[in-house]
Amino acid sequence: MEKTEDTIATNKQVETPATAPPEVVDVEAQSTSSTAGVQSIVRKWKRVDLMKKGSLILRGSALIFSLLSFIIMACNKHGGGGNWMDFDTYEEYRYLLAIAILSTLYTAAQVSRQLHQLLNGKELLSQPTADFLDFFGDQILAYLLISAASTAIPRTNQFREGVDNIFTDSSAASISMAFFAFLALALCAMISAYKLSHQSYI
Amino acid sequence: MEKTEDTIATNKQVETPATAPPEVVDVEAQSTSSTAGVQSIVRKWKRVDLMKKGSLILRGSALIFSLLSFIIMACNKHGGGGNWMDFDTYEEYRYLLAIAILSTLYTAAQVSRQLHQLLNGKELLSQPTADFLDFFGDQILAYLLISAASTAIPRTNQFREGVDNIFTDSSAASISMAFFAFLALALCAMISAYKLSHQSYI
């Protein structure tokens, strides 16, 4: 729009160089309105950028927390051979381990995808597909993590009423890490929901 | 753009009243575009209406399921005096009962608010406040319900390995109802997230 009107203005100037003032006013008014438009676009860009960074940071922390939860639980064997101090004697701890592994894989894949996008500028998936995947992935894993953490809590509580050793402490640490991963993914799911429902990519 | 063309057309009419047909075409084109606008508004209305009905139905079913979960668990006393067949001997079942009560109260309040709005046409809360409350309430209760259901499952499983009686069956029924209430509220939270992020009320 600006270009065509500029050329019109130049043409007019060539024809009648005396009538300059009205054109100057026109151009000023136009530049003010276009500045407002540019500002709103810049604001939108900043918001989109902030959301991208926010979801990357949240997914990164979810990755760290679920990796910690997974490692702590996987190393939680202190007897051997079906001893009561092995995590794999109890189905609750096996469930927590499985969900922690799933969450680690999912967040690692998401973080690597987002980093690839940030560094190369190319997107691996089309935008609507990625947004759907983001939202449902985040939401489902948040539900799974809170479910796994909740399941493991009563068993650990029960143990800690009797004895308080490295096995019960490790279980409690793993549960806490899973809970922090849940918090990060729950916040991330909110950002994904916002992105999914706006669907306005500049 | 249309306006300027109209004024140009009017100018032409003043100059040459004989050239009427093009104006008629112009007016028609204008009315077609306004019809398209009306159609898009009607589509939007229908979508908003569908979402309102959908969330009312989902909250209604969540109310029924959480009420059932609450009643079944509260009646699950078959011994008396700290017997093993009383639900209140176990913290997992107490937790499930508490969350079922909370969910019943929340969904009952929401359903009555929505029904009041539907019948009287007046809104008790301002729209942004209501949307925030809807989204966070639905989301938090969905997390609480999945957490409570997950917590109660291992204990019930453990009982059912040994014995299968009315106590274990009632516990399983209560857990299932809580899980269905979770599903309904999780779907409802998605609708609320959509409404919250669009924020376009006609």
Side-chain angles (χ1 to χ4, degrees), chain A residues 85-116:
Chain A
M85 275 169 71
D86 286 348
F87 80 90
D88 50 6
T89 315
Y90 312 103
E91 57 182 4
E92 296 93 331
Y93 294 159
R94 291 200 300 269
Y95 178 43
L96 182 57
L97 182 74
I99 299 300
I101 291 173
L102 207 66
S103 168
T104 308
L105 291 176
Y106 170 79
T107 46
Q110 284 279 21
V111 165
S112 58
R113 185 178 69 89
Q114 276 187 301
L115 280 179
H116 177 268

mmCIF file of all heavy atoms in Angstrom, chain A residues 85-116:
data_model
loop_
_atom_site.group_PDB
_atom_site.id
_atom_site.type_symbol
_atom_site.label_atom_id
_atom_site.label_comp_id
_atom_site.label_asym_id
_atom_site.label_seq_id
_atom_site.Cartn_x
_atom_site.Cartn_y
_atom_site.Cartn_z
ATOM 1 N N MET A 85 13.522 -54.222 50.032
ATOM 2 C CA MET A 85 14.123 -52.937 49.713
ATOM 3 C C MET A 85 14.466 -52.793 48.224
ATOM 4 O O MET A 85 15.350 -52.022 47.867
ATOM 5 C CB MET A 85 15.356 -52.701 50.581
ATOM 6 C CG MET A 85 14.988 -52.111 51.943
ATOM 7 S SD MET A 85 16.333 -52.089 53.102
ATOM 8 C CE MET A 85 17.388 -50.837 52.428
ATOM 9 N N ASP A 86 13.769 -53.554 47.368
ATOM 10 C CA ASP A 86 13.915 -53.354 45.917
ATOM 11 C C ASP A 86 12.665 -52.670 45.397
ATOM 12 O O ASP A 86 11.554 -53.044 45.773
ATOM 13 C CB ASP A 86 14.030 -54.707 45.196
ATOM 14 C CG ASP A 86 15.386 -55.337 45.414
ATOM 15 O OD1 ASP A 86 16.273 -54.625 45.919
ATOM 16 O OD2 ASP A 86 15.533 -56.523 45.097
ATOM 17 N N PHE A 87 12.853 -51.698 44.510
ATOM 18 C CA PHE A 87 11.679 -50.974 44.011
ATOM 19 C C PHE A 87 10.779 -51.895 43.192
ATOM 20 O O PHE A 87 9.567 -51.735 43.176
ATOM 21 C CB PHE A 87 12.100 -49.760 43.175
ATOM 22 C CG PHE A 87 12.489 -50.078 41.770
ATOM 23 C CD1 PHE A 87 11.532 -50.077 40.762
ATOM 24 C CD2 PHE A 87 13.798 -50.411 41.443
ATOM 25 C CE1 PHE A 87 11.880 -50.384 39.468
ATOM 26 C CE2 PHE A 87 14.136 -50.717 40.139
ATOM 27 C CZ PHE A 87 13.182 -50.720 39.154
ATOM 28 N N ASP A 88 11.382 -52.919 42.517
ATOM 29 C CA ASP A 88 10.558 -53.709 41.585
ATOM 30 C C ASP A 88 9.728 -54.787 42.272
ATOM 31 O O ASP A 88 9.038 -55.558 41.608
ATOM 32 C CB ASP A 88 11.389 -54.273 40.426
ATOM 33 C CG ASP A 88 12.636 -54.978 40.896
ATOM 34 O OD1 ASP A 88 12.785 -55.127 42.125
ATOM 35 O OD2 ASP A 88 13.455 -55.380 40.050
ATOM 36 N N THR A 89 9.746 -54.798 43.607
ATOM 37 C CA THR A 89 8.838 -55.681 44.332
ATOM 38 C C THR A 89 7.414 -55.093 44.324
ATOM 39 O O THR A 89 6.446 -55.826 44.493
ATOM 40 C CB THR A 89 9.324 -55.837 45.790
ATOM 41 O OG1 THR A 89 10.732 -56.053 45.781
ATOM 42 C CG2 THR A 89 8.656 -56.986 46.508
ATOM 43 N N TYR A 90 7.309 -53.786 44.135
ATOM 44 C CA TYR A 90 6.023 -53.094 44.299
ATOM 45 C C TYR A 90 5.526 -52.524 42.976
ATOM 46 O O TYR A 90 6.279 -51.840 42.279
ATOM 47 C CB TYR A 90 6.175 -51.969 45.327
ATOM 48 C CG TYR A 90 6.865 -52.445 46.584
ATOM 49 C CD1 TYR A 90 8.193 -52.141 46.809
ATOM 50 C CD2 TYR A 90 6.195 -53.242 47.494
ATOM 51 C CE1 TYR A 90 8.841 -52.599 47.936
ATOM 52 C CE2 TYR A 90 6.836 -53.718 48.629
ATOM 53 C CZ TYR A 90 8.159 -53.391 48.846
ATOM 54 O OH TYR A 90 8.799 -53.866 49.951
ATOM 55 N N GLU A 91 4.271 -52.787 42.672
ATOM 56 C CA GLU A 91 3.730 -52.326 41.383
ATOM 57 C C GLU A 91 3.654 -50.804 41.286
ATOM 58 O O GLU A 91 3.781 -50.240 40.202
ATOM 59 C CB GLU A 91 2.354 -52.953 41.128
ATOM 60 C CG GLU A 91 1.329 -52.682 42.212
ATOM 61 C CD GLU A 91 -0.010 -53.356 41.945
ATOM 62 O OE1 GLU A 91 -0.109 -54.098 40.956
ATOM 63 O OE2 GLU A 91 -0.943 -53.141 42.744
ATOM 64 N N GLU A 92 3.442 -50.130 42.437
ATOM 65 C CA GLU A 92 3.349 -48.669 42.421
ATOM 66 C C GLU A 92 4.659 -48.058 41.928
ATOM 67 O O GLU A 92 4.643 -47.116 41.128
ATOM 68 C CB GLU A 92 3.067 -48.124 43.835
ATOM 69 C CG GLU A 92 1.746 -48.546 44.426
ATOM 70 C CD GLU A 92 1.881 -49.801 45.272
ATOM 71 O OE1 GLU A 92 2.779 -50.616 44.969
ATOM 72 O OE2 GLU A 92 1.092 -49.951 46.221
ATOM 73 N N TYR A 93 5.773 -48.593 42.416
ATOM 74 C CA TYR A 93 7.071 -48.039 42.024
ATOM 75 C C TYR A 93 7.402 -48.384 40.575
ATOM 76 O O TYR A 93 8.019 -47.591 39.868
ATOM 77 C CB TYR A 93 8.171 -48.527 42.967
ATOM 78 C CG TYR A 93 8.028 -48.020 44.388
ATOM 79 C CD1 TYR A 93 8.635 -48.664 45.459
ATOM 80 C CD2 TYR A 93 7.275 -46.874 44.662
ATOM 81 C CE1 TYR A 93 8.499 -48.197 46.755
ATOM 82 C CE2 TYR A 93 7.124 -46.403 45.961
ATOM 83 C CZ TYR A 93 7.741 -47.068 46.995
ATOM 84 O OH TYR A 93 7.598 -46.603 48.271
ATOM 85 N N ARG A 94 6.972 -49.566 40.145
ATOM 86 C CA ARG A 94 7.196 -49.913 38.733
ATOM 87 C C ARG A 94 6.412 -48.979 37.820
ATOM 88 O O ARG A 94 6.903 -48.544 36.774
ATOM 89 C CB ARG A 94 6.794 -51.374 38.475
ATOM 90 C CG ARG A 94 7.700 -52.402 39.138
ATOM 91 C CD ARG A 94 7.580 -53.766 38.475
ATOM 92 N NE ARG A 94 6.231 -54.303 38.546
ATOM 93 C CZ ARG A 94 5.777 -55.087 39.514
ATOM 94 N NH1 ARG A 94 6.563 -55.451 40.514
ATOM 95 N NH2 ARG A 94 4.547 -55.541 39.485
ATOM 96 N N TYR A 95 5.172 -48.649 38.241
ATOM 97 C CA TYR A 95 4.336 -47.714 37.466
ATOM 98 C C TYR A 95 5.000 -46.344 37.392
ATOM 99 O O TYR A 95 5.102 -45.735 36.311
ATOM 100 C CB TYR A 95 2.957 -47.619 38.135
ATOM 101 C CG TYR A 95 1.965 -46.667 37.532
ATOM 102 C CD1 TYR A 95 1.787 -46.556 36.158
ATOM 103 C CD2 TYR A 95 1.161 -45.875 38.357
ATOM 104 C CE1 TYR A 95 0.848 -45.693 35.627
ATOM 105 C CE2 TYR A 95 0.221 -45.019 37.836
ATOM 106 C CZ TYR A 95 0.072 -44.929 36.475
ATOM 107 O OH TYR A 95 -0.855 -44.070 35.948
ATOM 108 N N LEU A 96 5.487 -45.873 38.546
ATOM 109 C CA LEU A 96 6.153 -44.565 38.576
ATOM 110 C C LEU A 96 7.369 -44.564 37.652
ATOM 111 O O LEU A 96 7.599 -43.607 36.903
ATOM 112 C CB LEU A 96 6.567 -44.227 40.012
ATOM 113 C CG LEU A 96 7.241 -42.862 40.215
ATOM 114 C CD1 LEU A 96 6.357 -41.734 39.733
ATOM 115 C CD2 LEU A 96 7.597 -42.637 41.677
ATOM 116 N N LEU A 97 8.165 -45.650 37.701
ATOM 117 C CA LEU A 97 9.346 -45.762 36.841
ATOM 118 C C LEU A 97 8.942 -45.699 35.374
ATOM 119 O O LEU A 97 9.556 -44.963 34.578
ATOM 120 C CB LEU A 97 10.080 -47.074 37.122
ATOM 121 C CG LEU A 97 11.362 -47.276 36.306
ATOM 122 C CD1 LEU A 97 12.474 -46.392 36.828
ATOM 123 C CD2 LEU A 97 11.795 -48.722 36.311
ATOM 124 N N ALA A 98 7.889 -46.439 35.008
ATOM 125 C CA ALA A 98 7.445 -46.480 33.607
ATOM 126 C C ALA A 98 7.029 -45.093 33.138
ATOM 127 O O ALA A 98 7.428 -44.637 32.054
ATOM 128 C CB ALA A 98 6.280 -47.456 33.460
ATOM 129 N N ILE A 99 6.250 -44.394 33.980
ATOM 130 C CA ILE A 99 5.773 -43.066 33.579
ATOM 131 C C ILE A 99 6.935 -42.073 33.523
ATOM 132 O O ILE A 99 6.984 -41.199 32.640
ATOM 133 C CB ILE A 99 4.666 -42.579 34.536
ATOM 134 C CG1 ILE A 99 3.471 -43.533 34.496
ATOM 135 C CG2 ILE A 99 4.214 -41.176 34.186
ATOM 136 C CD1 ILE A 99 2.825 -43.687 33.149
ATOM 137 N N ALA A 100 7.908 -42.220 34.456
ATOM 138 C CA ALA A 100 9.069 -41.318 34.441
ATOM 139 C C ALA A 100 9.866 -41.524 33.150
ATOM 140 O O ALA A 100 10.326 -40.553 32.541
ATOM 141 C CB ALA A 100 9.943 -41.562 35.661
ATOM 142 N N ILE A 101 10.011 -42.776 32.705
ATOM 143 C CA ILE A 101 10.730 -43.047 31.451
ATOM 144 C C ILE A 101 9.971 -42.437 30.275
ATOM 145 O O ILE A 101 10.549 -41.748 29.428
ATOM 146 C CB ILE A 101 10.914 -44.569 31.244
ATOM 147 C CG1 ILE A 101 11.884 -45.129 32.277
ATOM 148 C CG2 ILE A 101 11.426 -44.866 29.838
ATOM 149 C CD1 ILE A 101 11.999 -46.636 32.267
ATOM 150 N N LEU A 102 8.652 -42.659 30.257
ATOM 151 C CA LEU A 102 7.816 -42.116 29.176
ATOM 152 C C LEU A 102 7.936 -40.594 29.121
ATOM 153 O O LEU A 102 8.111 -39.997 28.037
ATOM 154 C CB LEU A 102 6.359 -42.497 29.461
ATOM 155 C CG LEU A 102 5.416 -42.625 28.281
ATOM 156 C CD1 LEU A 102 5.843 -43.796 27.431
ATOM 157 C CD2 LEU A 102 3.994 -42.826 28.776
ATOM 158 N N SER A 103 7.863 -39.963 30.289
ATOM 159 C CA SER A 103 7.930 -38.513 30.361
ATOM 160 C C SER A 103 9.307 -38.018 29.919
ATOM 161 O O SER A 103 9.413 -37.001 29.222
ATOM 162 C CB SER A 103 7.619 -38.078 31.783
ATOM 163 O OG SER A 103 7.934 -36.745 31.975
ATOM 164 N N THR A 104 10.366 -38.751 30.306
ATOM 165 C CA THR A 104 11.724 -38.372 29.888
ATOM 166 C C THR A 104 11.836 -38.417 28.370
ATOM 167 O O THR A 104 12.346 -37.468 27.749
ATOM 168 C CB THR A 104 12.760 -39.328 30.506
ATOM 169 O OG1 THR A 104 12.542 -39.390 31.909
ATOM 170 C CG2 THR A 104 14.174 -38.868 30.234
ATOM 171 N N LEU A 105 11.345 -39.510 27.772
ATOM 172 C CA LEU A 105 11.428 -39.648 26.312
ATOM 173 C C LEU A 105 10.641 -38.540 25.610
ATOM 174 O O LEU A 105 11.129 -37.900 24.680
ATOM 175 C CB LEU A 105 10.895 -41.021 25.875
ATOM 176 C CG LEU A 105 11.748 -42.217 26.279
ATOM 177 C CD1 LEU A 105 11.056 -43.509 25.868
ATOM 178 C CD2 LEU A 105 13.123 -42.142 25.649
ATOM 179 N N TYR A 106 9.406 -38.312 26.103
ATOM 180 C CA TYR A 106 8.559 -37.297 25.468
ATOM 181 C C TYR A 106 9.179 -35.910 25.562
ATOM 182 O O TYR A 106 9.283 -35.193 24.557
ATOM 183 C CB TYR A 106 7.166 -37.302 26.114
ATOM 184 C CG TYR A 106 6.307 -36.141 25.706
ATOM 185 C CD1 TYR A 106 5.658 -36.140 24.479
ATOM 186 C CD2 TYR A 106 6.168 -35.026 26.531
ATOM 187 C CE1 TYR A 106 4.888 -35.057 24.092
ATOM 188 C CE2 TYR A 106 5.402 -33.948 26.149
ATOM 189 C CZ TYR A 106 4.770 -33.973 24.940
ATOM 190 O OH TYR A 106 4.022 -32.904 24.544
ATOM 191 N N THR A 107 9.611 -35.523 26.780
ATOM 192 C CA THR A 107 10.159 -34.171 26.933
ATOM 193 C C THR A 107 11.480 -34.032 26.180
ATOM 194 O O THR A 107 11.757 -32.965 25.624
ATOM 195 C CB THR A 107 10.339 -33.798 28.410
ATOM 196 O OG1 THR A 107 10.951 -34.878 29.098
ATOM 197 C CG2 THR A 107 9.025 -33.499 29.068
ATOM 198 N N ALA A 108 12.292 -35.110 26.133
ATOM 199 C CA ALA A 108 13.555 -35.048 25.376
ATOM 200 C C ALA A 108 13.259 -34.825 23.897
ATOM 201 O O ALA A 108 13.899 -33.983 23.247
ATOM 202 C CB ALA A 108 14.348 -36.329 25.575
ATOM 203 N N ALA A 109 12.267 -35.538 23.377
ATOM 204 C CA ALA A 109 11.901 -35.375 21.964
ATOM 205 C C ALA A 109 11.406 -33.957 21.704
ATOM 206 O O ALA A 109 11.807 -33.312 20.726
ATOM 207 C CB ALA A 109 10.826 -36.383 21.587
ATOM 208 N N GLN A 110 10.557 -33.448 22.608
ATOM 209 C CA GLN A 110 10.006 -32.100 22.422
ATOM 210 C C GLN A 110 11.097 -31.038 22.500
ATOM 211 O O GLN A 110 11.132 -30.111 21.683
ATOM 212 C CB GLN A 110 8.944 -31.813 23.485
ATOM 213 C CG GLN A 110 7.624 -32.492 23.240
ATOM 214 C CD GLN A 110 6.763 -31.745 22.240
ATOM 215 O OE1 GLN A 110 7.250 -30.971 21.456
ATOM 216 N NE2 GLN A 110 5.476 -32.001 22.275
ATOM 217 N N VAL A 111 11.993 -31.175 23.494
ATOM 218 C CA VAL A 111 13.058 -30.180 23.662
ATOM 219 C C VAL A 111 13.987 -30.202 22.455
ATOM 220 O O VAL A 111 14.367 -29.146 21.935
ATOM 221 C CB VAL A 111 13.829 -30.428 24.978
ATOM 222 C CG1 VAL A 111 15.134 -29.659 24.993
ATOM 223 C CG2 VAL A 111 12.979 -30.033 26.170
ATOM 224 N N SER A 112 14.328 -31.400 21.965
ATOM 225 C CA SER A 112 15.235 -31.462 20.806
ATOM 226 C C SER A 112 14.548 -30.883 19.566
ATOM 227 O O SER A 112 15.177 -30.183 18.776
ATOM 228 C CB SER A 112 15.716 -32.886 20.558
ATOM 229 O OG SER A 112 14.617 -33.721 20.345
ATOM 230 N N ARG A 113 13.236 -31.127 19.427
ATOM 231 C CA ARG A 113 12.511 -30.549 18.302
ATOM 232 C C ARG A 113 12.507 -29.020 18.382
ATOM 233 O O ARG A 113 12.766 -28.325 17.389
ATOM 234 C CB ARG A 113 11.063 -31.053 18.303
ATOM 235 C CG ARG A 113 10.236 -30.607 17.099
ATOM 236 C CD ARG A 113 8.846 -31.186 17.150
ATOM 237 N NE ARG A 113 8.055 -30.607 18.222
ATOM 238 C CZ ARG A 113 7.308 -29.514 18.107
ATOM 239 N NH1 ARG A 113 7.254 -28.874 16.959
ATOM 240 N NH2 ARG A 113 6.625 -29.052 19.123
ATOM 241 N N GLN A 114 12.240 -28.522 19.586
ATOM 242 C CA GLN A 114 12.185 -27.061 19.745
ATOM 243 C C GLN A 114 13.558 -26.418 19.538
ATOM 244 O O GLN A 114 13.656 -25.349 18.944
ATOM 245 C CB GLN A 114 11.643 -26.710 21.125
ATOM 246 C CG GLN A 114 10.119 -26.703 21.164
ATOM 247 C CD GLN A 114 9.582 -26.193 22.469
ATOM 248 O OE1 GLN A 114 9.871 -26.754 23.520
ATOM 249 N NE2 GLN A 114 8.805 -25.147 22.442
ATOM 250 N N LEU A 115 14.623 -27.092 20.024
ATOM 251 C CA LEU A 115 15.977 -26.549 19.842
ATOM 252 C C LEU A 115 16.356 -26.565 18.364
ATOM 253 O O LEU A 115 16.937 -25.600 17.860
ATOM 254 C CB LEU A 115 16.994 -27.368 20.647
ATOM 255 C CG LEU A 115 17.082 -27.044 22.142
ATOM 256 C CD1 LEU A 115 18.092 -27.944 22.810
ATOM 257 C CD2 LEU A 115 17.470 -25.571 22.358
ATOM 258 N N HIS A 116 16.006 -27.643 17.672
ATOM 259 C CA HIS A 116 16.274 -27.749 16.241
ATOM 260 C C HIS A 116 15.605 -26.604 15.485
ATOM 261 O O HIS A 116 16.196 -25.965 14.609
ATOM 262 C CB HIS A 116 15.766 -29.106 15.736
ATOM 263 C CG HIS A 116 15.927 -29.312 14.263
ATOM 264 N ND1 HIS A 116 14.938 -28.987 13.368
ATOM 265 C CD2 HIS A 116 16.962 -29.783 13.534
ATOM 266 C CE1 HIS A 116 15.369 -29.260 12.150
ATOM 267 N NE2 HIS A 116 16.589 -29.746 12.226
#
